[in-house]
């Protein structure tokens, strides 16, 4: 699999340079397809999973396809995912809708109250320092008072509920650890923020990048022959200025001139000390240790027919103080971090729920039967209408998977304390002549579009373009 070592690496060209991409998620696929497009010939992708796609995981379910990972195209303007598919008629607009906030005594807040609470998640001002939690609490007591329910009991329940919802958007365990930079540094793409893929799933986007079958998630398209599945990398030796040596867990040795590392931030945090020999530079380590990969999981339930009344699209949960106290002392304590359930676009018999943080990680340790038992209890506790036992059920487990260790990244206040960020994570390791040796891509390395597929895709292209510019520059000289 590896080519013979050459005495002078700088004699390499696009046709002979050996490039290994670690990880075949959106960023790895974007890098590989761009490199092939630019004329590179010797490009390998090593993927630890038995499939490609990374945190895009479109699977068969309920006689259709569902996404266990990335699900929506977030925005249109300045979104490379949208730009790739906008003329293919594959996206549907979600539009505006009312979230039904329901208390644990089955009381449903009025439409006026619900609309005000939904508006609150978008209108509070983020400061130039400190945590988002501090800013939210200040806004709740100050400028946001007109939107806060007048009943102080309901207001406290709503505040806790909205904090969970914001945490689900940003993947943090709690708002007190979420840095203001998570908002300040992120650039929203204008337009509809939740464009759905109908029944094709997010795989449709990857199939466009790969020129692969949209009906067969996993089809490698133009990367056939370049992708090697079930190949977990145990060590990357980048000592000196010559070739790099990679050792797979099965003992296989591979030589390369360039490595593009696209593994998740969670894997980097857990493995970087043993993965890289010699150790990474201090600035790189600070960024890996300072940033965080959060835990957000989803539940998908299929019914014979949709049990939720037609006028209800999304349900959020408000816990009465006495009910919450009782919950925390029982076996269903993890249900406190279930944020909401909603219908699934173009899938009329499905109901999808979301859970965050430490309780999401605990949920992953339970059996599917135990998880479903808890969810059915939750439905009985909150809803006036009956929810029957589902026909099919599936949940995601992103944290317990050793090839991911989480869902998507965020800036914690700890990164502020370390004075580090995504630029340090994205910086390549180069030799004394500026040749990129180890490069880093993936959503966590995106400065302005982190936590998104379009951000991950941009970083793959960024690193492919970096290599192309290096070789084009050498050819010009």
């Amino acid at each position: 699999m590896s080519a013979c070592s050459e005495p002078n690496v700088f004699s390499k060209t696009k046709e002979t340079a050996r490039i290994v991409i670690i990880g075949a998620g959106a960023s790895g696929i974007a890098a590989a397809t761009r490199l092939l497009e630019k004329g590179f010939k010797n490009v390998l992708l090593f993927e630890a999973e038995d499939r490609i796609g990374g945190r895009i995981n479109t699977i068969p379910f309920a006689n259709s396809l569902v996404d266990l990972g990335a699900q929506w195209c977030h925005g249109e303007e300045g979104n490379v995912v949208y730009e790739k598919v906008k003329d293919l008629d594959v996206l549907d607009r979600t539009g505006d809708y009312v979230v039904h906030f329901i208390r644990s005594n089955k009381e449903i807040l009025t439409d006026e109250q619900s609309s005000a609470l939904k508006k609150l998640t978008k209108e509070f001002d983020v400061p130039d320092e400190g945590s988002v939690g501090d800013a939210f609490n200040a806004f709740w007591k100050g400028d946001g008072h007109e939107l806060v329910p007048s009943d102080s009991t309901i207001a406290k329940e709503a505040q806790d509920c909205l904090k969970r919802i914001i945490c689900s958007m940003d993947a943090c365990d709690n708002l007190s650890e979420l840095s203001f930079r998570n908002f300040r540094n992120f650039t929203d793409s204008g337009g509809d923020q939740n464009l759905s893929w109908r029944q094709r799933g997010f795989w449709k986007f990857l199939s466009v990048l790969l020129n692969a079958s949209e009906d067969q998630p996993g089809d490698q398209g133009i990367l056939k022959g370049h992708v090697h599945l079930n190949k977990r990398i145990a060590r990357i030796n980048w000592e000196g200025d010559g070739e790099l040596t990679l050792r797979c867990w099965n003992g296989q040795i591979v030589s390369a001139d360039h490595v593009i590392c696209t593994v998740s931030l969670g894997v980097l945090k857990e493995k970087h000390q043993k993965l890289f020999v010699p150790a990474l530079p201090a600035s790189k380590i600070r960024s890996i240790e300072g940033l965080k990969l959060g835990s957000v999981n989803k539940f998908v339930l299929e019914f014979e027919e949709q049990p939720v009344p037609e006028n209800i699209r999304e349900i959020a949960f408000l816990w009465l103080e006495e009910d919450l106290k009782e919950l925390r002392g029982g076996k269903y304590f993890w249900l406190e971090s279930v944020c909401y359930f909603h219908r699934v676009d173009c899938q009329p018999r499905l109901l999808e729920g979301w859970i965050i943080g430490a309780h999401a990680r605990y949920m992953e340790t339970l059996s599917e039967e135990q998880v479903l038992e808890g969810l059915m209890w939750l439905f009985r506790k909150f809803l006036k209408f009956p929810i029957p036992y589902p026909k099919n059920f599936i949940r995601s487990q992103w944290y317990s998977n050793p090839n991911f260790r989480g869902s998507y990244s965020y800036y914690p206040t700890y990164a502020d304390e370390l004075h580090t960020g995504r630029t340090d994570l994205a910086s390549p390791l180069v030799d004394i002549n500026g040749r990129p040796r180890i490069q880093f891509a993936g959503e966590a390395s995106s400065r302005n579009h982190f936590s998104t597929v379009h951000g991950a895709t941009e970083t793959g292209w960024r690193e492919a373009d970096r290599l192309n510019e290096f070789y084009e520059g050498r050819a010009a000289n």
Side-chain angles (χ1 to χ4, degrees):
M1 184 173 293
S2 61
C4 295
S5 177
E6 296 186 16
N8 184 0
V9 70
F10 291 103
S11 67
K12 294 297 179 70
T13 65
K14 288 184 181 183
E15 290 73 23
T16 61
R18 300 161 298 174
I19 303 168
V20 172
I21 300 172
I22 305 175
S27 56
I29 290 172
T33 52
R34 178 69 69 97
L35 287 169
L36 294 179
E37 175 188 314
K38 296 294 185 181
F40 290 87
K41 304 297 183 184
N42 195 341
V43 179
L44 297 178
L45 284 88
F46 284 4
E47 170 54 54
E49 293 278 291
D50 61 0
R51 62 175 181 84
I52 62 173
R55 282 167 279 174
I56 294 177
N57 188 14
T58 305
I59 64 167
F61 183 81
N63 298 318
S64 185
L65 297 172
V66 297
D67 285 308
L68 284 183
Q71 183 165 339
W72 291 285
C73 175
H74 296 300
E76 303 161 58
E77 300 165 15
N79 184 326
V80 296
V81 171
Y82 180 79
E83 287 298 320
K84 274 286 184 182
V85 303
K86 66 180 180 180
D87 297 324
L88 303 180
D89 190 29
V90 295
L91 292 170
D92 282 331
R93 297 183 181 281
T94 300
D96 198 18
Y97 57 89
V98 173
V99 177
H100 285 75
F101 290 86
I102 304 180
R103 304 178 74 202
S104 55
N105 62 0
K106 297 182 172 62
E107 177 187 342
I108 302 176
L109 300 193
T110 66
D111 287 350
E112 183 179 5
Q113 288 174 317
S114 294
S115 296
L117 291 179
K118 185 179 178 183
K119 192 176 181 182
L120 260 171
T121 64
K122 302 176 181 179
E123 291 201 356
F124 73 94
D125 292 325
V126 178
D128 291 327
E129 61 182 5
S131 76
V132 173
D134 292 340
F136 183 81
N137 290 337
F139 180 75
W140 189 268
K141 295 175 182 178
D143 293 341
H145 71 277
E146 293 182 357
L147 300 174
V148 176
S150 56
D151 185 310
S152 60
T153 301
I154 295 178
K156 177 62 171 66
E157 298 165 8
Q159 183 181 24
D160 292 340
C161 175
L162 293 183
K163 285 181 177 180
R164 289 193 295 273
I165 291 175
I166 297 172
C167 284
S168 74
M169 297 174 182
D170 295 286
C172 58
D173 281 16
N174 58 77
L175 291 188
S176 64
E177 69 169 357
L178 185 64
S179 168
F180 72 96
R181 285 195 290 170
N182 217 68
F183 284 62
R184 292 292 188 203
N185 290 13
F186 189 85
T187 302
D188 280 315
S189 299
D192 196 313
Q193 294 302 301
N194 290 301
L195 293 160
S196 67
W197 296 92
R198 296 182 187 157
Q199 294 180 322
R200 295 176 174 86
F202 223 121
W203 168 255
K204 175 59 188 179
F205 169 67
L206 292 185
S207 74
V208 172
L209 284 186
L210 292 162
N211 193 22
S213 170
E214 68 174 51
D215 299 320
Q216 298 180 35
D219 180 9
Q220 296 173 10
I222 60 175
L223 292 184
K224 287 176 182 175
H226 295 273
V227 177
H228 298 268
L229 300 176
N230 301 302
K231 291 287 187 183
R232 191 185 299 182
I233 302 300
R235 182 160 295 180
I236 304 170
N237 191 316
W238 60 290
E239 192 169 9
D241 286 331
E243 69 179 15
L244 299 96
T245 304
L246 294 82
R247 180 170 61 82
C248 301
W249 273 41
N250 65 358
Q252 179 184 4
I253 302 296
V254 179
S255 298
D257 301 305
H258 309 278
V259 171
I260 302 178
C261 182
T262 76
V263 302
S264 76
L265 176 63
V267 172
L268 284 176
K269 292 175 84 70
E270 184 176 82
K271 303 290 188 183
H272 77 85
Q273 290 180 320
K274 293 182 178 179
L275 183 60
F276 296 95
V277 178
L280 294 171
S283 60
K284 184 73 66 180
I285 293 175
R286 276 198 305 274
S287 66
I288 292 172
E289 294 181 347
L291 297 168
K292 282 193 175 182
L293 194 71
S295 299
V296 180
N297 280 307
K298 61 177 75 172
F299 316 105
V300 186
L301 294 78
E302 178 197 11
F303 301 93
E304 293 290 349
E305 58 182 34
Q306 178 61 249
V308 175
E310 193 170 338
N311 67 316
I312 296 179
R313 173 185 171 85
E314 184 171 317
I315 298 166
F317 304 100
L318 275 63
W319 286 95
L320 273 67
E321 184 178 1
E322 59 269 26
D323 288 338
L324 187 57
K325 184 177 180 180
E326 182 179 352
L327 177 77
R328 288 171 174 171
K331 66 177 180 178
Y332 298 136
F333 67 91
W334 54 274
L335 291 171
E336 180 181 353
S337 294
V338 174
C339 303
Y340 40 75
F341 270 85
H342 59 82
R343 294 170 176 267
V344 179
D345 293 326
C346 299
Q347 307 264 29
R349 293 183 291 110
L350 300 189
L351 199 58
E352 183 175 276
W354 298 75
I355 184 171
I356 62 166
H359 289 155
R361 295 188 286 275
Y362 175 80
M363 179 278 300
E364 294 188 22
T365 70
L366 303 176
S367 67
E368 285 196 354
E369 291 75 16
Q370 290 172 312
V371 173
L372 195 50
E373 176 188 312
L375 294 179
M376 297 306 292
W377 180 89
L378 183 72
F379 293 147
R380 291 192 298 271
K381 178 70 176 174
F382 276 83
L383 305 179
K384 293 181 179 179
F385 50 88
I387 300 290
Y389 202 81
K391 179 180 177 181
N392 284 303
F393 171 72
I394 194 169
R395 44 81 188 266
S396 61
Q397 294 170 285
W398 289 108
Y399 176 77
S400 57
N401 188 321
N403 300 321
F404 299 102
R405 292 299 188 208
S407 306
Y408 40 95
S409 66
Y410 65 96
Y411 276 107
T413 52
Y414 183 53
D416 299 336
E417 295 173 16
L418 295 182
H419 301 287
T420 188
R422 301 177 188 276
T423 301
D424 290 330
L425 183 61
S427 298
L429 306 181
V430 301
D431 67 11
I432 58 175
N433 295 303
R435 176 176 65 92
R437 302 187 70 221
I438 302 180
Q439 300 162 252
F440 295 84
E443 58 84 12
S445 75
S446 172
R447 185 173 181 181
N448 302 114
H449 291 145
F450 46 88
S451 80
T452 69
V453 174
H454 56 279
T457 302
E458 288 171 336
T459 67
W461 288 343
R462 178 193 71 206
E463 297 310 314
D465 290 344
R466 191 191 305 274
L467 273 184
N468 185 60
E469 290 165 9
F470 171 77
Y471 279 92
E472 290 288 338
R474 288 183 59 237
N477 294 330

